Amino acid sequence: MNHKKSLLAYILWLILLIPIHAQDIYISPQELIKGTDLYPVCDFYWGKLLESTDGVTPTLSGIKPDMWVHYTNPDTGNPFPAQGVASYVFKIKLQTFPVSKPLAIRIKNASSAVRIIAGGHTILEIGHISNNLTMLRESMQTTMGGFYPPAKEFYLIVQIANKTDFSGGIRTLPHIGYLSTISRKHIINLVLDTLVMASIMVIALYHLILFSARKEARDYGFLFFALFSFAIGLRAGLTESRVLHMLLPYVSIAILIKIEIAAVYLAAGSIVVFFHFLFPSEEYRTFSKLTYGVNTLSILLTIVLPVKSLAYYHFIYLVYLAFTALILLIWLGRALKNKRESSLLFTVAFAILALGVINDSLFNGLGIGTGFISQYTLAIFLLFQALIQARRYSSMYISIKENAERTENLARVYRAFVPFELLKLLGVEKPEELEGNEYEKKDIAVLSVSLIPIVGASEEIEPEDMQSFLNSYIRHLIPVVHRHRGLIRGFSGERMLILFPDNHEDAILCAEELYYTIKEYNQGRKRAGYQSAHLIIGGAAGEATFTIVGDNTHMEVTGVGRVFPDAMIVEEIAPVLGSCALISQNLFPAVARLEKNNVRFVGRYKKDNKVISLFEIITEEDSAKLSLISEFERALYYYFSGELDKAEDGFSLLLARNPDDKAAAFYLGRILKLIGKRKDSMELTPYPELQ
């Protein structure tokens, strides 16, 4: 029984002992096709950059290839220092030789100067290796090299010289296989890591644009998520395939290491601030303030400390980083408890991301883990973020649509009641920009437009019919005003004032088109059996001062100037002279600039030492008036000259040829009354001021 136990113990001892002392790596063709990591046992030679193993005794035999600071120097009993040179020797045995295809070896995350030799020939070299550390040029790369094996059995020597890295040695096992297999894997990983880095950077830029675009109410969560993504993207380019190391070969390795470490501090600080904006009610304020201080200090130390000292500090920081991840998970737990929107999805996503960041930090500092994976876990995190946003958008879609429709309706009503165009006269684009002390002086044209007979009709027509009639009338006129860049000052009963601040010609053209529009409108009313409505238009031009009047409860844009009462006076005189459109002398130059010949002088209005010369705009349909303009103005000349007999003959002749000329009838009536006054003292009516 004891013999059986001894035999069993011996067999178990052999099972444990064989892999410890084995140094040969047997590689079959099937393994070469798939590619394989070198068997994790080798000989270690400290302080030597071997070309061959002949006659040299290893410092350590049958050890697992690792960073040499994890080994104990048998001579001193202490770990090997980080700075120095060493060689790792693997014995390779192929099951078939010669091989049909070239082989290749790939090394990941080399952080020192490295040279790999097979059969006395250099397969690949990273940086410039040297026994003299002052001549050393280090590099951080993931690279590969091809070769033909020199024999069925050969030694693969990995020389490493380290000055900057705080560990030194092999971080990950070299990968060996056929050249086609290894190169395909290498290119795929390189492309994948480049795409991941670029995608993360694009996401950072996207969130930065979202932050910048909202100038009125910026969401700082976007800014700090952009910083977080940028930091992780930067680390993605500085780890694993080392894309940025390849793109920046002449940048000092110490600087690149500092940037890589600083990216961790920036990412940790940014994610805490992002949480502050995401779940503010569940925040631990003391922890947040501590994190802001620690990460700011860490970034500053990255700038001033040498890499070796920074490495020791970073190792301490990793403990704090684990504590940070724990607090953030508790933070998320509180959000889950309070049933914050999408908190469950965000917790799962953050847990995955936190595991990736912790893995990277442990791998970078202690060589523990499978490699750098935070760029991939961030991609998963961002995918979850997209799902969260999609859920939010889908749940908000209906309410947003309803709010948009409601807002559009309010905006339409708002635009109808708020005089935006009048505000522009004051140099104000938006009502909220008003300060209440704006004013502006402008040279404008004004049309006073009235619909007749509206007052009398309002007493006979039912209110709802009157409302329908007025709205129908206004809807036909407003587009005409807008086409000629007119601004409607307001409505007062049957009258509306139209302003033309750009040029006076717009007022003349608008007055003519308003006449033809209302005529066409009347034809439709006549066919429907309704009473016709007619426009009376009076126009004037001059300076006006625009300003804001009112208080906080009611404000209004108003214009002050003689041009407004002048336009209304001219409009009141128009029906007396039978004119559909009458203008003052200040507006007459616009007619001349338009080169129109359908205007005649019809008299002067005088009141309070103010004289307004009046000009009638004749429509093209009134051919009789157009053909007799000269005769009318000649008769009017005799009237003003006091030659009443000649004036009487002239106006009588005009009425004989055009009985509908109301202005000629008006002046003939005045002449007869003037003559009668000398005989019987008859009073003059109407408008005694009209000379």
Side-chain angles (χ1 to χ4, degrees):
M1 186 69 177
N2 290 334
H3 289 290
K4 290 182 179 180
K5 289 182 178 179
S6 299
L7 179 60
L8 181 60
Y10 181 73
I11 293 172
L12 290 173
W13 180 80
L14 285 176
I15 292 173
L16 294 173
L17 186 65
I18 289 173
I20 293 175
H21 289 281
Q23 296 185 24
D24 297 350
I25 300 173
Y26 296 92
I27 302 178
S28 67
Q30 290 77 18
E31 291 173 322
L32 290 176
I33 290 172
K34 297 178 182 179
T36 181
D37 288 331
L38 293 180
Y39 192 79
V41 171
C42 66
D43 289 339
F44 177 72
Y45 298 80
W46 173 248
K48 300 179 179 66
L49 298 178
L50 299 180
E51 297 289 338
S52 70
T53 59
D54 295 342
V56 183
T57 302
T59 307
L60 298 172
S61 297
I63 62 171
K64 176 184 178 181
D66 198 353
M67 293 180 288
W68 61 56
V69 293
H70 296 163
Y71 302 151
T72 300
N73 190 330
D75 296 330
T76 64
N78 297 319
F80 291 102
Q83 288 189 352
V85 299
S87 299
Y88 296 81
V89 178
F90 299 87
K91 186 176 181 181
I92 309 295
K93 289 185 178 182
L94 302 175
Q95 290 187 355
T96 59
F97 185 82
V99 293
S100 58
K101 300 177 182 179
L103 304 184
I105 189 166
R106 180 175 183 262
I107 187 167
K108 291 192 341 179
N109 299 309
S111 57
S112 307
V114 179
R115 181 190 294 139
I116 298 181
I117 300 172
H121 299 285
T122 299
I123 298 174
L124 64 85
E125 185 169 359
I126 300 172
H128 176 72
I129 199 164
S130 174
N131 276 304
N132 186 350
L133 296 183
T134 60
M135 302 293 292
L136 182 68
R137 181 169 63 84
E138 298 170 295
S139 181
M140 299 185 76
Q141 291 186 27
T142 293
T143 188
M144 58 166 287
F147 68 101
Y148 277 97
K152 187 174 183 179
E153 297 183 8
F154 63 94
Y155 287 102
L156 192 70
I157 302 174
V158 180
Q159 301 176 351
I160 297 178
N162 178 63
K163 180 172 63 175
T164 304
D165 191 1
F166 57 86
S167 299
I170 294 178
R171 288 181 174 271
T172 55
L173 291 174
H175 202 65
I176 194 169
Y178 282 127
L179 177 62
S180 57
T181 303
I182 300 299
S183 61
R184 182 168 58 252
K185 177 180 177 61
H186 180 71
I187 292 172
I188 290 173
N189 286 350
L190 180 62
V191 171
L192 180 61
D193 288 347
T194 303
L195 288 175
V196 168
M197 180 191 72
S199 300
I200 296 172
M201 290 300 188
V202 167
I203 290 170
L205 179 61
Y206 170 71
H207 282 82
L208 188 61
I209 292 173
L210 287 178
F211 168 75
S212 302
R214 299 179 61 179
K215 295 181 180 180
E216 302 295 332
R218 283 179 170 166
D219 186 345
Y220 283 87
F222 286 132
L223 173 62
F224 287 97
F225 190 79
L227 291 176
F228 170 72
S229 300
F230 172 76
I232 296 296
L234 195 61
R235 286 198 75 254
L238 292 169
T239 56
E240 199 61 17
S241 294
R242 310 281 181 178
V243 177
L244 292 179
H245 288 272
M246 295 171 59
L247 297 175
L248 305 170
Y250 299 107
V251 177
S252 165
I253 187 174
I255 293 176
L256 293 174
I257 290 175
K258 285 190 172 190
I259 294 174
E260 179 186 336
I261 294 174
V264 176
Y265 305 149
L266 178 61
S270 299
I271 195 67
V272 172
V273 183
F274 176 62
F275 268 53
H276 164 76
F277 289 103
L278 193 65
F279 302 116
S281 301
E282 289 75 25
E283 180 180 13
Y284 295 96
R285 297 297 174 87
T286 303
F287 162 74
S288 297
K289 292 178 181 178
L290 177 64
T291 300
Y292 303 153
V294 168
N295 286 281
T296 302
L297 175 64
S298 300
I299 292 174
L300 293 175
L301 290 177
T302 305
I303 298 173
V304 300
L305 289 180
V307 172
K308 185 175 182 180
S309 301
L310 181 62
Y312 291 122
Y313 171 78
H314 188 63
F315 179 77
I316 298 172
Y317 177 84
L318 294 180
V319 178
Y320 180 77
L321 184 63
F323 169 72
T324 300
L326 178 62
I327 295 297
L328 291 178
L329 286 172
I330 296 174
W331 192 338
L332 284 172
R334 296 178 68 184
L336 280 171
K337 182 180 178 181
N338 295 332
K339 298 180 179 180
R340 301 300 181 193
E341 184 180 5
S342 303
S343 56
L344 177 59
L345 280 176
F346 194 88
T347 301
V348 174
F350 180 75
I352 294 172
L353 176 64
L355 289 175
V357 173
I358 292 172
N359 173 83
D360 283 13
S361 300
L362 292 174
F363 180 75
N364 188 57
L366 303 174
I368 301 172
T370 59
F372 296 101
I373 61 171
S374 63
Q375 57 267 42
Y376 305 115
T377 56
L378 177 64
I380 297 172
F381 176 78
L382 294 174
L383 176 61
F384 272 84
Q385 282 291 96
L387 290 173
I388 291 171
Q389 294 299 329
R391 287 187 60 184
R392 287 179 177 176
Y393 288 145
S394 62
S395 63
M396 292 170 58
Y397 175 76
I398 296 176
S399 60
I400 289 175
K401 184 178 179 181
E402 292 175 351
N403 289 335
E405 292 175 352
R406 188 179 302 111
T407 302
E408 185 178 351
N409 292 332
L410 287 173
R412 185 167 57 252
V413 175
Y414 182 57
R415 286 192 299 269
F417 281 93
V418 178
F420 289 101
E421 292 82 1
L422 293 178
L423 290 176
K424 291 179 182 178
L425 292 177
L426 300 172
V428 176
E429 293 293 330
K430 301 176 181 178
E432 57 267 27
E433 296 174 357
L434 281 173
E435 297 178 359
N437 57 356
E438 293 83 359
Y439 65 90
E440 191 74 28
K441 196 171 186 178
K442 286 187 175 292
D443 182 28
I444 65 168
V446 178
L447 292 184
S448 178
V449 181
S450 291
L451 186 69
I452 57 172
I454 189 71
V455 177
S458 65
E459 299 172 356
E460 301 173 4
I461 303 176
E462 293 297 326
E464 58 270 21
D465 294 332
M466 177 58 65
Q467 186 270 344
S468 176
F469 164 65
L470 281 174
N471 278 327
S472 175
Y473 150 67
I474 293 298
R475 279 197 295 268
H476 280 78
L477 298 187
I478 287 178
V480 177
V481 175
H482 289 166
R483 274 197 296 274
H484 295 284
R485 296 180 292 178
L487 308 179
I488 298 175
R489 171 67 182 83
F491 303 97
S492 178
E494 74 276 13
R495 174 182 286 149
M496 67 177 175
L497 288 180
I498 308 171
L499 314 183
F500 297 88
D502 295 326
N503 61 69
H504 297 175
E505 289 87 335
D506 288 333
I508 303 300
L509 297 173
C510 183
E512 292 181 338
E513 189 175 347
L514 285 173
Y515 169 79
Y516 291 113
T517 300
I518 203 67
K519 183 179 180 181
E520 184 178 347
Y521 171 71
N522 280 330
Q523 291 174 356
R525 287 183 60 83
K526 186 177 180 181
R527 288 193 297 269
Y530 294 119
Q531 180 185 1
S532 297
H534 301 282
L535 284 182
I536 298 298
I537 303 172
E543 286 190 340
T545 299
F546 291 91
T547 186
I548 298 290
V549 294
D551 59 12
N552 292 333
T553 61
H554 179 80
M555 289 195 296
E556 187 174 338
V557 180
T558 188
V560 180
R562 282 298 314 171
V563 65
F564 297 106
D566 285 355
M568 288 186 281
I569 289 172
V570 172
E571 182 242 312
E572 289 175 357
I573 296 173
V576 176
L577 300 178
S579 304
C580 64
L582 199 63
I583 63 173
S584 71
Q585 76 273 9
N586 291 337
L587 194 51
F588 179 73
V591 178
R593 287 192 294 270
L594 290 170
E595 298 181 353
K596 289 183 173 292
N597 55 6
N598 62 331
V599 178
R600 68 178 183 178
F601 175 64
V602 291
R604 291 191 297 267
Y605 172 79
K606 183 178 180 181
K607 186 176 182 181
D608 300 331
N609 297 321
K610 180 176 179 62
V611 178
I612 302 175
S613 296
L614 304 170
F615 297 85
E616 179 185 9
I617 300 175
I618 304 171
T619 63
E620 295 177 358
E621 299 169 335
D622 202 342
S623 57
K625 277 188 181 181
L626 286 173
S627 63
L628 297 172
I629 289 178
S630 298
E631 288 81 351
F632 179 87
E633 292 182 344
R634 186 182 303 112
L636 196 60
Y637 170 76
Y638 291 139
Y639 172 77
F640 287 129
S641 300
E643 301 179 57
L644 298 182
D645 293 335
K646 290 183 178 181
E648 181 183 357
D649 293 341
F651 286 122
S652 297
L653 181 61
L654 283 168
L655 286 171
R657 297 174 63 180
N658 182 18
D660 295 329
D661 192 340
K662 200 170 181 179
F666 172 81
Y667 281 107
L668 182 58
R670 280 192 73 92
I671 292 169
L672 295 175
K673 288 180 181 180
L674 286 170
I675 295 172
K677 182 179 181 181
R678 282 199 288 263
K679 294 178 179 178
D680 53 14
S681 300
M682 291 179 61
E683 293 187 3
L684 302 178
T685 57
Y687 276 91
E689 298 89 350
L690 195 60
Q691 298 180 346

